[in-house]
Amino acid sequence: EALVGAINGASLRYGVPMSFLSAILLPMVGGIAEFAAAVQFAMKDKMDIAIGVAIGSSTQFALLVIPTCVLVGALLGQPLDLDFGVFESVALLVVVLVVNANVQDGTSNWLKGLMLLVAYATLAVSIFYHTFDDSLAGPPPPPPPKF
């Protein structure tokens, strides 16, 4: 929770876009235990479990967490839609295609790993340099009261 709260300050202090911190860095730090577990299973030649761990959290997020956030936002009067722009849609399509191509046969090798790393690095660099439309975010929140 402290990490999430510090994102805005880090974005301003270091000049790193908020979209990069929240889409690349925060999930990387938050998922380190899952990454370690997937690597351990892969090293023990249990690829089905490693792939399940690696892809399971993304599937869980897409099918449970995001729809729940949309419903809770509607109940609280804070609309949250899934109206992605062209950049987000193309990025999602490319990621799905690359992951599908890599896990289809259930095997792994260095080239598949390199392809996933290059796809992730490309996505990270494109998010870093892409300018997102912040006009949809609404007005900024009021400053906290001073005591």
Side-chain angles (χ1 to χ4, degrees):
E1 189 173 321
L3 181 64
V4 173
I7 285 181
N8 195 21
S11 174
L12 295 173
R13 181 175 179 180
Y14 298 112
V16 178
M18 178 79 89
S19 57
F20 178 80
L21 290 176
S22 41
I24 300 297
L25 208 56
L26 186 63
M28 197 184 282
V29 171
I32 198 76
E34 289 177 5
F35 302 149
V39 168
Q40 285 178 347
F41 285 123
M43 288 174 57
K44 294 178 183 175
D45 203 27
K46 298 182 181 202
M47 287 307 296
D48 54 339
I49 298 174
I51 290 172
V53 168
I55 297 177
S57 64
S58 299
T59 305
Q60 180 182 23
F61 218 85
L63 295 177
L64 177 69
V65 175
I66 293 176
T68 302
C69 288
V70 171
L71 292 174
V72 169
L75 292 174
L76 296 176
Q78 180 68 32
L80 174 68
D81 62 9
L82 298 177
D83 185 18
F84 296 128
V86 174
F87 176 81
E88 294 88 353
S89 300
V90 170
L92 183 62
L93 176 67
V94 169
V95 167
V96 167
L97 291 174
V98 169
V99 170
N100 185 41
N102 278 287
V103 301
Q104 211 166 23
D105 60 356
T107 63
S108 69
N109 57 43
W110 67 270
L111 186 58
K112 287 183 176 185
L114 181 64
M115 187 181 347
L116 289 170
L117 289 174
V118 167
Y120 192 77
T122 304
L123 181 65
V125 169
S126 63
I127 287 174
F128 188 86
Y129 288 107
H130 182 71
T131 53
F132 291 92
D133 183 17
D134 290 336
S135 65
L136 301 176
K146 296 181 180 180
F147 296 102

